[in-house]
Amino acid sequence: MVNLINGCSENLLSQPGNEEPKEFKRLEGSYKDLTDIFDDKLIDFSKQFCSIYSARLTELRETLVPQIIAKWGKVQILKLAELEDFEEQECVIIGTLYKHQKCKPSILLELSDDHQLTLPEPRSNYCSEKDQLFLEDEMLRIKLVVEDAALNNYVTGVVCAILGYKNKSGSFEIKEWCFPGCMPKSSPTQAKSGGKVVFLSGLDLANTAETLSLNLLIEWICGMAGNVTMQEDATSIVRVIIAGNSVKTVTKTNTLMGHAEGKAQDAAITKEVAVATTLVDAFLSKIAECCCVTLMPGQHDPTNAMLPQRPLHPCILPLASRYCTNIHSFDMYSDFSMNEIRLQTTRNLIFIIA
């Protein structure tokens, strides 16, 4: 959690020297907010994921066509609706893979089984020998003939091109695969300054409030820990990104059956969250005094459970909200640039785009 210069811990835990105190100025980095594409003012739940799959298939189809020609030459590229007239003829089809897994939990199956008296045993792997692989486009779906040993290598949602032919049973025999590959990387951009960005996640102040490491972290970021060399190094921190679960890392639920006991347990859980949120507020206010902060909610933080999670409300962070120019609160997606280096962060992933 703490960066040690030259691997020497004495810089951080050394005694004060006799040298005169020095004043250091923290570096300033250029910051630009790019989260407008995630700021959905209109919350609409009428649209499903089919439009996303269709748009992605349309884009990647244009990428796959040149690769198909380069790999297999001039071969027929057909849509699934056109396969009826080309039975037993070699061709290429493009679509999105769908893996049908019978062991995967299904709420519709559970509701339809009225005589189910015992719960199914939990599984760590939903793959089985009964899995089936399909390829679908905007209109139809066709079953793929895949060897059982290779079936576990494929997952739902992958766009690909397949060379093969449609057999008499209506399935598609596979000869070769072609995938679009990864997005080409752009040449890295050199940052204008030597500023540093600190990433934090899972502080869990509900359980780790009074710890030496947390206080040491605050002092290090604020430039109050260590000797002169360590303090000068701390001035290069231009932004702190807190990527979720600052309050808690585990959500406690009511496990008691009685009304009185359950109500008391709910009250205790609410009090614990309130106390931890106050500690987060104090933690943020100390850091925001001297450094810019990007705050994102986590799975167990006090915000809405439905995705996408909204930013933590300023009312629950009264001390930190005073530093509105230094604290930038986002939802579970953030997109910004620091010194011409673009960073995209989610609850589980961090992308650095030069």
Side-chain angles (χ1 to χ4, degrees):
M1 185 167 59
V2 177
N3 179 26
L4 302 180
I5 299 178
N6 298 327
C8 183
S9 60
E10 286 78 7
N11 290 328
L12 190 61
L13 302 176
S14 59
Q15 296 180 356
N18 297 325
E19 64 272 6
E20 296 182 1
K22 296 183 180 180
E23 182 178 351
F24 301 104
K25 184 178 180 181
R26 187 175 297 273
L27 294 179
E28 295 182 0
S30 61
Y31 175 83
K32 185 177 181 181
D33 186 5
L34 304 173
T35 53
D36 293 340
I37 58 176
F38 301 120
D39 189 10
D40 190 5
K41 301 296 184 182
L42 178 62
I43 301 178
D44 184 12
F45 297 100
S46 61
K47 296 181 180 179
Q48 299 298 319
F49 292 104
C50 59
S51 59
I52 300 177
Y53 276 85
S54 178
R56 186 176 61 178
L57 177 59
T58 302
E59 291 290 333
L60 292 179
R61 180 181 281 115
E62 299 178 359
T63 304
L64 279 169
V65 170
Q67 298 183 17
I68 293 171
I69 297 175
K71 186 174 183 179
W72 296 318
K74 294 183 178 181
V75 64
Q76 296 183 96
I77 302 177
L78 305 177
K79 291 192 174 183
L80 299 185
E82 302 171 343
L83 284 177
E84 186 177 357
D85 301 329
F86 293 88
E87 188 174 310
E88 300 289 343
Q89 297 184 31
E90 188 178 73
C91 61
V92 174
I93 55 176
I94 301 175
T96 305
L97 292 179
Y98 170 74
K99 189 175 183 180
H100 178 68
Q101 297 175 287
K102 292 187 176 182
C103 296
K104 187 171 63 175
S106 173
I107 185 62
L108 297 178
L109 183 61
E110 294 177 5
L111 292 176
S112 62
D113 193 356
D114 298 332
H115 302 287
Q116 185 176 2
L117 301 178
T118 59
L119 294 175
E121 296 182 0
R123 301 171 60 98
S124 59
N125 191 338
Y126 296 117
C127 296
S128 68
E129 298 178 354
K130 298 180 180 179
D131 293 347
Q132 295 178 339
L133 194 64
F134 296 85
L135 188 78
E136 60 183 23
D137 58 7
E138 297 87 349
M139 298 180 61
L140 297 176
R141 175 187 294 178
I142 189 171
K143 182 180 178 181
L144 302 177
V145 180
V146 185
E147 296 181 1
D148 295 339
L151 190 58
N152 294 337
N153 298 330
Y154 305 104
V155 295
T156 298
V158 178
V159 177
C160 63
I162 302 176
L163 175 66
Y165 61 92
K166 180 183 177 182
N167 57 26
K168 295 181 179 180
S169 62
S171 302
F172 195 83
E173 298 282 349
I174 301 174
K175 291 185 177 181
E176 286 189 75
W177 299 79
C178 182
F179 296 94
C182 299
M183 182 178 179
K185 294 183 179 180
S186 58
S187 57
T189 303
Q190 187 68 27
K192 290 184 177 180
S193 65
K196 300 177 181 178
V197 178
V198 177
F199 294 92
L200 302 176
S201 180
L203 293 176
D204 191 18
L205 296 189
N207 300 315
T208 59
E210 302 296 336
T211 60
L212 175 63
S213 59
L214 182 64
N215 295 328
L216 192 60
L217 173 63
I218 297 175
E219 294 179 359
W220 173 63
I221 294 175
C222 297
M224 298 184 295
N227 56 13
V228 176
T229 305
M230 198 68 192
Q231 294 173 3
E232 185 178 6
D233 179 69
T235 59
S236 62
I237 300 175
V238 295
R239 181 165 293 271
V240 177
I241 299 178
I242 303 178
N245 288 346
S246 303
V247 177
K248 300 176 68 177
T249 55
V250 177
T251 300
K252 295 181 180 179
T253 57
N254 188 349
T255 57
L256 300 178
M257 300 299 294
H259 175 72
E261 295 83 355
K263 191 173 182 180
Q265 189 178 30
D266 289 339
I269 295 174
T270 303
K271 183 179 179 180
E272 182 185 21
V273 173
V275 172
T277 305
T278 304
L279 296 175
V280 173
D281 186 24
F283 171 78
L284 292 174
S285 63
K286 293 178 182 178
I287 296 180
E289 289 181 359
C290 57
C291 186
C292 296
V293 179
T294 295
L295 179 62
M296 299 169 57
Q299 180 181 1
H300 307 287
D301 286 332
T303 182
N304 60 301
M306 183 176 293
L307 300 180
Q309 289 181 306
R310 295 302 178 183
L312 296 178
H313 201 279
C315 292
I316 66 175
L317 303 171
L319 298 178
S321 299
R322 299 176 183 177
Y323 303 94
C324 56
T325 57
N326 282 359
I327 293 184
H328 301 86
S329 185
F330 294 100
D331 54 20
M332 61 181 297
Y333 305 104
S334 66
D335 189 359
F336 58 92
S337 63
M338 288 290 302
N339 297 336
E340 298 185 358
I341 301 296
R342 187 173 180 180
L343 292 94
Q344 293 180 341
T345 61
T346 66
R347 193 167 62 191
N348 299 319
L349 298 173
I350 298 173
F351 301 96
I352 300 177
I353 305 174

